[in-house]
Amino acid sequence: MHNDEMYASWPLKFVRGAGPRYRQIADFIAGAVADNRMQPGDRLPPQRGLAQHLGVDLTTVTRAYAEAGQRGLIEPRGPLGTFIARPTDEPLLQMLDLGMNMPPLPLGCDLQDLLRRGLAKAMERHDVGVMMTYHQAGGGPAEREAGAEWLAQSVGRVDPDRVLVCPGAQAALAAVMLAYSRPGDGIVAEPLVYPGLLTAAQQFGRRILVADTDADGMTPAGLERACRDGGRLVYLNPTLQNPTAHTMSVARRRDLLRAAAACGVRIIEDDPYSLFLQDAPPALASLAPASVFYIATLAKTLTPGLRTAFVLTPDLDGRRNVLAAMRSFAVMAAPLMGVLTTQWIASGMAQQILDGVRAEAHARQRLARQLLPGPFPSAAAGIHLWQTLPDRWTASDLERVARDEGLSVTSSEVFHQGPGAPNAIRISLGSIPDRQELGQALEHLAGLVRRRPRGLRDVIV
């Protein structure tokens, strides 16, 4: 393979917020192998040449190759170079997923049966040809009515005409950003933030402006300072925040709303988790309906397979503007999912699933708090935990070692903006279907957190 061909197979673009660059390089190799873009026996570029090609230092590539080697993806062959490893006859280590935030299967519900019944009822009421064609962007009247009914649990009674049906929360977030900011504008956020916001901001040429925080989250003074630096939107996830699971007080919510109004900026309230919290504080959108774009996804409370999120806009102009922006990349939400979601909400099936998911999530929270070392400053609710680590571990090292031992967790570096990420990991509780298997994974992780990393020695002073 000629050098130009060798480097042409590396169209890697680093994504801010997606983890350290060395790990992104190793992940690129893993993806290329999985997609058959790199075959066993293919020679990898020399480390120095690849570093120059990617615009990183040599140490980053060296560490990336070491990471890929530990995963069994590549093998060095001395002076011949480094090659994609050939598959072995040994079974692959099964990865137990404590990294992906998704709801557990609902307790006491047969989701497959509910899906079958929901689709059957939808087929009785809707012609297949109608379901399989283009539908009204943003949802038809029945879908928006169902969305308003669902949002009433967290926001109160709302006008369905202000509701927008989107193909997922990421699409909703992107549409609001496109409609209410321009390239170069700032999006004000906390230092620890949902990585999807970082990805969208980078793709659209927006800047993330990190506001000062204290123990209760973003401060009003921090919001105001960031707005003076060009902030046009404020992003908040105030209830069971991702990743820390912190819930912002009512007083702080009111103070931030006043600060945003004084700055003349709108707030995006991303609220995937409040339905897990008993007696959750009022949503920002219920305290200041004219100032907040409220996003509620069903991916975290029912199932990601619905690919449905509801956006409550401040007014009808807001709905039209966000809808116009969404049409630039997503013509509509999937009609079949819209019909199913509407059927589930109208029939009470969605509430039944939510109750089952909440019951299972509560049981998993209790289990995790029994097995993990803690401390856990947040309420025992939701589908994730924030685990601070002892000084002997760094978050990235624990993430790497855990993966080598068959556990997937998420380092604080994935969520953090700027230097000085807290030494912690996010632990997701919903991806492992079986609760007993989850318990075994948590016990394994707890033992890993408590032990000393290999290769470290006690310092004698």
Side-chain angles (χ1 to χ4, degrees):
M1 179 183 290
H2 298 298
N3 279 345
D4 55 344
E5 295 174 343
M6 180 180 292
Y7 293 115
S9 66
W10 282 81
L12 171 60
K13 301 294 184 183
F14 293 109
V15 177
R16 187 179 181 186
R21 289 188 169 189
Y22 81 88
R23 195 172 301 142
Q24 291 190 49
I25 295 172
D27 290 342
F28 176 85
I29 296 172
V33 171
D35 296 340
N36 292 319
R37 289 180 284 116
M38 292 184 183
Q39 301 285 340
D42 283 352
R43 183 173 179 268
L44 273 68
Q47 294 183 23
R48 191 175 301 278
L50 183 59
Q52 184 177 3
H53 173 71
L54 297 177
V56 298
D57 57 54
L58 177 60
T59 303
T60 299
V61 175
T62 300
R63 193 173 181 188
Y65 276 28
E67 171 81 3
Q70 289 176 345
R71 299 190 202 179
L73 297 169
I74 64 176
E75 56 186 12
R77 298 182 188 172
L80 295 177
T82 303
F83 296 78
I84 298 298
R86 300 186 184 281
T88 66
D89 294 332
E90 297 178 4
L92 293 175
L93 179 68
Q94 182 184 9
M95 188 67 66
L96 295 174
D97 189 1
L98 298 172
M100 175 64 74
N101 239 15
M102 61 179 287
L105 293 174
L107 184 65
C109 293
D110 184 341
L111 193 58
Q112 183 171 344
D113 179 61
L114 292 178
L115 178 61
R116 185 184 300 111
R117 287 161 51 194
L119 288 172
K121 184 66 68 172
M123 294 287 288
E124 290 176 9
R125 297 186 177 184
H126 300 273
D127 181 77
V128 173
V130 173
M131 287 193 292
M132 293 294 105
T133 189
Y134 287 101
H135 281 213
Q136 183 177 343
E143 292 167 309
R144 288 187 277 111
E145 191 74 45
E149 181 180 343
W150 186 260
L151 293 174
Q153 299 176 91
S154 48
V155 184
R157 186 180 179 88
V158 299
D159 180 359
D161 287 341
R162 290 169 50 209
V163 176
L164 188 66
V165 183
C166 296
Q170 186 68 19
L173 175 59
V176 176
M177 289 176 60
L178 282 173
Y180 285 88
S181 65
R182 297 179 178 179
D185 284 348
I187 311 296
V188 183
E190 296 178 348
L192 287 163
V193 69
Y194 164 55
L197 174 73
L198 309 178
T199 301
Q202 182 183 45
Q203 292 295 322
F204 298 149
R206 275 58 168 175
R207 297 177 294 141
I208 295 295
L209 301 176
V210 179
D212 294 335
T213 59
D214 60 17
D216 202 15
M218 186 184 295
T219 66
L223 184 154
E224 292 170 353
R225 277 193 292 272
C227 287
R228 287 195 293 270
D229 192 29
R232 294 293 176 266
L233 287 167
V234 178
Y235 173 89
L236 290 169
N237 173 199
T239 306
L240 295 177
Q241 190 246 13
N242 182 19
T244 65
H246 170 72
T247 295
M248 188 180 287
S249 69
V250 179
R252 177 57 56 84
R253 294 171 190 235
R254 295 185 186 278
D255 289 343
L256 288 173
L257 287 167
R258 282 191 288 268
C263 294
V265 297
R266 301 285 185 93
I267 291 175
I268 300 173
E269 182 177 12
D270 191 4
D271 189 20
Y273 307 114
S274 67
L275 293 180
F276 288 107
L277 187 63
Q278 189 174 14
D279 299 323
L284 297 168
S286 66
L287 297 173
S291 302
V292 179
F293 290 91
Y294 180 86
I295 301 175
T297 178
L298 301 183
K300 306 302 184 186
T301 50
L302 298 183
T303 171
L306 291 173
R307 293 309 303 150
T308 300
F310 301 118
V311 180
L312 178 64
T313 60
D315 48 36
L316 296 182
D317 283 342
R319 185 183 184 279
R320 282 191 290 269
N321 293 338
V322 174
L323 180 56
M326 192 178 72
R327 281 188 181 130
S328 68
F329 59 85
V331 175
M332 62 181 181
L336 181 59
M337 292 298 99
V339 168
L340 177 62
T341 298
T342 300
Q343 164 62 27
W344 270 0
I345 293 175
S347 67
M349 283 187 182
Q351 188 63 47
Q352 182 182 347
I353 296 169
L354 174 62
D355 291 342
V357 170
R358 284 194 291 213
E360 180 63 25
H362 184 62
R364 289 175 178 234
Q365 282 278 346
R366 290 199 311 269
L367 178 65
R369 289 162 188 266
Q370 291 168 2
L371 297 176
L372 294 170
F376 306 109
S378 59
I383 56 175
H384 65 277
L385 285 169
W386 188 240
Q387 171 73 71
T388 56
L389 299 177
D391 291 342
R392 60 182 172 269
W393 283 107
T394 66
S396 60
D397 283 343
L398 182 70
E399 181 186 39
R400 174 179 53 79
V401 173
R403 185 173 57 249
D404 291 344
E405 298 191 12
L407 297 174
S408 170
V409 297
T410 309
S411 163
S412 59
E413 295 176 354
V414 172
F415 307 95
H416 193 261
Q417 290 297 284
N423 195 28
I425 56 173
R426 190 195 70 182
I427 303 166
S428 299
L429 302 176
S431 290
I432 299 176
D434 181 72
R435 197 192 304 169
Q436 182 177 356
E437 190 173 25
L438 171 67
Q440 294 169 352
L442 293 172
E443 283 186 314
H444 187 173
L445 179 62
L448 181 57
V449 171
R450 291 188 179 101
R451 83 183 189 213
R452 181 168 295 280
R454 297 186 183 94
L456 292 186
R457 299 179 180 178
D458 292 325
V459 177
I460 302 174
V461 296

